[in-house]
Amino acid sequence: MLGIDAARVIITEALKAGAAAGMKPLSVVVLDQGGHVLAFERSDGASPGRFEIARAKAHGAVMLGMGGRAQMARAEAQGYFMAALSGVFEGRILPVPGGVLVRDASGAVVGAVGVTGDTSDNDAIAAEAGIRAAGLQPEA
């Protein structure tokens, strides 16, 4: 189970990783395995629309069982499929890096993290750092 304490660690450490790497201001959301928001934080200077972007990245990961990189590859190979899924999920998926599955020690999906604000690849790097800091396994 992914709880509020782990979510707070993920957010804190993802933001630290972004700042240490000189990334633009990030926004980080943590969802549980049902796609419900556990926690969200936006760095000073991050644009206000970032919550929806971060949530869509994480929501796609947890609902589809694949991280943003895998979703992007699927969108490139089968754009019609991802477009249809966007309709199914009322636009709440964004198939790009920065949506990262969270797995526990047994490999079970316990939630997802969405990060936005820099390049999608850098967003994923920050998310992965936060997840590892919480003692969990990222799957981007």
Side-chain angles (χ1 to χ4, degrees):
M1 181 175 122
L2 182 61
I4 189 66
D5 291 335
R8 288 178 177 146
V9 169
I10 290 168
I11 289 172
T12 298
E13 296 303 318
L15 293 175
K16 281 184 188 176
M23 294 180 196
K24 295 176 184 174
L26 300 179
S27 296
V28 184
V29 68
V30 179
L31 307 182
D32 67 14
Q33 70 270 26
H36 306 284
V37 176
L38 288 172
F40 170 77
E41 191 167 327
R42 185 172 63 89
S43 296
D44 290 342
S47 61
R50 293 293 175 174
F51 171 75
E52 288 81 5
I53 296 169
R55 182 177 59 180
K57 288 182 176 188
H59 192 259
V62 77
M63 290 294 120
L64 302 176
M66 65 176 85
R69 287 188 183 111
Q71 290 177 59
M72 187 169 77
R74 186 76 182 264
E76 289 169 346
Q78 295 180 307
Y80 64 89
F81 179 73
M82 292 305 288
L85 286 178
S86 182
V88 168
F89 291 107
E90 300 174 342
R92 292 177 302 188
I93 61 171
L94 184 56
V96 296
V100 182
L101 284 174
V102 180
R103 294 187 181 271
D104 66 13
S106 73
V109 173
V110 294
V113 175
V115 176
T116 184
D118 204 273
T119 67
S120 292
D121 287 330
N122 282 344
D123 294 345
I125 289 167
E128 292 166 358
I131 293 165
R132 285 190 188 98
L136 298 161
Q137 300 302 312
E139 183 180 320

